[in-house]
Amino acid sequence: MAQERTGVATFKGNPLTLIGPELKIGDQAPDFKLQKDLLEAATLQDFAGKVKLISVVPSLDTGVCDAQTRRFNQEADSLGDQVVVLTVSVDLPFAQARWCGAAGIDRVLTLSDYKDHSFGEAYGVFIKEFHLDHRAIFVIDQNDKIAYVEYLSEMAEHPDYDQAIAAVKKLV
């Protein structure tokens, strides 16, 4: 049975239960299987040798998630080719594609955790009550070690964009 963590996250002040471990700097990044579309999946190995900035959002169709993804898309231009910026949500892949097209998102790769929640459970962000992934940021180095992590205590708040970008720039 997966680990349940309580008392670490809320949504508008209401407590949430997160499924999975709390990852820390220096931990080996867990593998995952996320959907690029309904047929094709992506794993951690697909991004081997690159610095990975993983922005986790509950749903692209909400204000904070929209702003978070747009901000990292804008920042991606300055990070170079050795960095991949991923946005993970439980939105269906075709909804992610529609949102990216409408928002002009072209530097961030959106991946969906809708199918088996392997990312959410491996990274400790799967919300038991909502079956969504909780807002978090992970920076993973070229050797798949976690170099930066931010689990937001309140799901409706923004992450620390500047700290996440600084963590990426230390690695390239």
Side-chain angles (χ1 to χ4, degrees):
M1 181 165 202
Q3 175 186 1
E4 290 191 6
R5 296 176 9 253
T6 58
V8 296
T10 60
F11 175 60
K12 297 185 177 179
N14 296 304
L16 300 173
T17 305
L18 300 182
I19 305 295
E22 179 181 354
L23 301 177
K24 299 191 182 335
I25 293 172
D27 286 350
Q28 186 70 30
D31 199 7
F32 54 76
K33 183 178 177 185
L34 293 164
Q35 296 303 125
K36 292 182 180 180
D37 56 35
L38 291 179
L39 299 175
E40 188 179 1
T43 66
L44 184 63
Q45 189 59 39
D46 291 332
F47 309 104
K50 294 200 178 255
V51 172
K52 294 151 285 285
L53 188 158
I54 303 177
S55 170
V56 185
V57 299
S59 174
L60 293 167
D61 287 320
T62 65
V64 176
C65 300
D66 176 292
Q68 181 173 328
T69 305
R70 288 176 191 266
R71 171 71 184 269
F72 284 126
N73 187 69
Q74 177 185 349
E75 296 283 356
D77 280 333
S78 68
L79 299 177
D81 293 339
Q82 291 304 312
V83 177
V84 61
V85 181
L86 309 174
T87 291
V88 174
S89 75
V90 183
D91 296 308
L92 293 174
F94 50 82
Q96 290 177 332
R98 182 193 71 241
W99 182 88
C100 286
I105 302 299
D106 58 357
R107 297 279 296 143
V108 168
L109 177 60
T110 55
L111 297 170
S112 178
D113 198 22
Y114 87 94
K115 205 168 202 175
D116 60 13
H117 308 294
S118 76
F119 181 92
E121 291 180 8
Y123 283 72
V125 296
F126 183 69
I127 303 169
K128 181 178 180 178
E129 293 83 358
F130 299 149
H131 286 232
L132 297 172
D133 287 344
H134 188 68
R135 189 176 318 285
I137 305 293
F138 301 92
V139 175
I140 301 170
D141 72 13
Q142 298 91 330
N143 299 309
D144 294 336
K145 294 275 188 201
I146 295 178
Y148 175 85
V149 62
E150 179 184 9
Y151 290 99
L152 277 85
S153 58
E154 169 54 53
M155 189 166 84
E157 293 179 356
H158 286 269
D160 189 331
Y161 301 107
D162 295 335
Q163 288 281 45
I165 297 300
V168 170
K169 289 183 175 181
K170 285 182 187 174
L171 299 172
V172 291

